Amino acid sequence: MSGERQIGVIGTAVEDTIDRPGEETVHDMGGAYHSVIAMSAFLPDGTVAVPVAAVGADAIERVRADWGRLPRISLEGVHAVSAINNKVHLEYDAGGGREETLTGGVPPMDWPALEPWAGRVVAWCWNFISGQEVERETFEKVKLHSAGPLHLDVHNLCFGPPRKGQPREHRPPEDWEGWVEGATWVQVNEIEAGLLHDGRAVPLPHDREGALASRVHALGAEGLLITRGARGATWLPRRGPAFEAPAGAERAIDPTGCGDVFGAVWVALRVARGMDPEDAVLGAVRAAGAAATVSGTANLGAALARAAGEILPPERRAPRTAGGRARL
């Protein structure tokens, strides 16, 4: 894959158990799978996504096999660790709320695992799926040694540490400004926005979003992205007015991983396809809506391939490649 542009993807591959009211339990791979499959579907030929990920010894063969079937994905950054891979139990209630219980023991990646990529990738898509992908000191080194744009999905930095057999609890990230400083684009959902703004795990009121965005802009970001699930997303740039991207009309059945897809598609459209922010956020919202039409990741590739066919102009679509459980 020498000569191809590379985009680094950070996140933890997890084994998901998803319980939704009145539905059969879904057991499938998740976490970084959503970002990787989305990158595969939306990147153009000539650009590859490089997941830089530590995977537990019990799951490494499956992860390599699954991701190895995907076009425009490099496995060079995937490495095994002698730990039980992360497993997440997601329990949704009738109102759409959920509890998340994490088990497993994949440790944070250290600088030697990331150093070879810091000056090599043209951009980063950072998604804190476990919230423990790296220690803060390591992340500062990544930011210092990287020249291209860095997308930061705050995500589970907003969770406290795992509690044995108990759901994780929301809490504001310690010194969140330090984590965010130097990122090009920052992504949060409405609850995470509230935690960053005033420490409360409630949706940030619409009229306070500009105040949070101003704090993020002051830390160097070009813009803040706030995802709203079935109500789309908002792009709040450093310069110019906010842009509201409405959600599509897809019949959503499971929101798991939709924010992960949103961030990966945003990066693919902005960095690899050169779209302006408004078109990129519209595309990311539509892709996230397509992801919500399936549960688990076995059929995610097909759903995102259809979305890419609708979002990308014909001359910019990537050719479809069949085969494998996460087929496109």
Side-chain angles (χ1 to χ4, degrees):
M1 292 190 177
S2 60
E4 294 181 300
R5 295 204 308 166
Q6 297 174 322
I7 294 177
V9 180
I10 300 295
T12 303
V14 304
E15 299 164 70
D16 277 342
T17 298
I18 305 171
D19 281 314
R20 294 177 290 123
E23 302 292 338
E24 291 187 9
T25 297
V26 172
H27 300 281
D28 207 347
M29 301 300 288
Y33 268 64
H34 295 92
S35 303
V36 171
I37 294 171
M39 284 279 184
S40 177
F42 279 84
L43 288 177
D45 287 335
T47 303
V48 298
V50 183
V52 183
V55 181
D58 56 322
I60 187 65
E61 289 187 11
R62 180 175 184 179
V63 171
R64 284 180 172 151
D66 289 345
W67 292 357
R69 297 187 185 104
L70 294 170
R72 295 170 291 280
I73 300 299
S74 167
L75 299 183
E76 291 181 78
V78 178
H79 57 280
V81 292
S82 56
I84 300 297
N85 197 62
N86 286 13
K87 302 166 188 0
V88 172
H89 185 194
L90 300 165
E91 298 179 88
Y92 287 91
D93 59 36
R98 79 180 190 190
E99 291 186 336
E100 180 172 328
T101 304
L102 171 66
T103 57
V106 173
M109 287 186 290
D110 55 18
W111 175 236
L114 290 156
E115 182 179 15
W117 303 102
R120 190 167 155 190
V121 299
V122 299
W124 283 108
C125 181
W126 276 76
N127 185 353
F128 281 94
I129 289 169
S130 71
Q132 301 173 321
E133 276 74 12
V134 294
E135 302 287 354
R136 171 70 180 283
E137 180 181 355
T138 302
F139 192 44
E140 293 304 318
K141 290 181 178 179
V142 171
K143 289 189 286 186
L144 179 64
H145 290 84
S146 299
L150 186 151
H151 177 82
L152 171 59
D153 184 352
V154 173
H155 203 168
N156 283 347
L157 284 177
C158 288
F159 268 141
R163 303 180 302 159
K164 187 174 182 179
Q166 298 295 317
R168 301 180 75 181
E169 294 182 329
H170 277 112
R171 56 105 173 96
E174 184 177 348
D175 184 25
W176 70 262
E177 293 92 343
W179 285 98
V180 165
E181 186 173 16
T184 310
W185 307 301
V186 178
Q187 177 183 335
V188 292
N189 63 30
E190 293 175 292
I191 296 292
E192 294 155 6
L195 285 164
L196 267 55
H197 180 66
D198 60 12
R200 295 186 299 154
V202 295
L204 182 63
H206 193 69
D207 62 0
R208 301 305 301 158
E209 291 174 352
L212 175 62
S214 294
R215 294 169 68 185
V216 171
H217 299 154
L219 296 167
E222 291 180 4
L224 173 68
L225 292 151
I226 301 179
T227 59
R228 308 182 188 282
R231 292 180 292 109
T234 302
W235 162 246
L236 297 104
R238 185 190 305 163
R239 297 180 181 86
F243 178 78
E244 303 283 346
E250 295 91 345
R251 180 180 174 273
I253 64 170
D254 188 348
T256 305
C258 290
D260 309 328
V261 167
F262 176 95
V265 172
W266 162 269
V267 173
L269 297 182
R270 286 287 287 132
V271 175
R273 295 192 177 272
M275 287 191 179
D276 64 35
E278 291 79 11
D279 286 339
V281 73
L282 286 168
V285 165
R286 290 181 66 184
T293 65
V294 299
S295 188
T297 56
N299 296 312
L300 179 60
L304 292 180
R306 288 192 295 270
E310 297 169 356
I311 293 165
L312 300 174
E315 68 276 9
R316 301 172 78 176
R317 296 173 191 167
R320 297 187 181 188
T321 300
R325 62 178 301 281
R327 62 188 179 278
L328 298 178

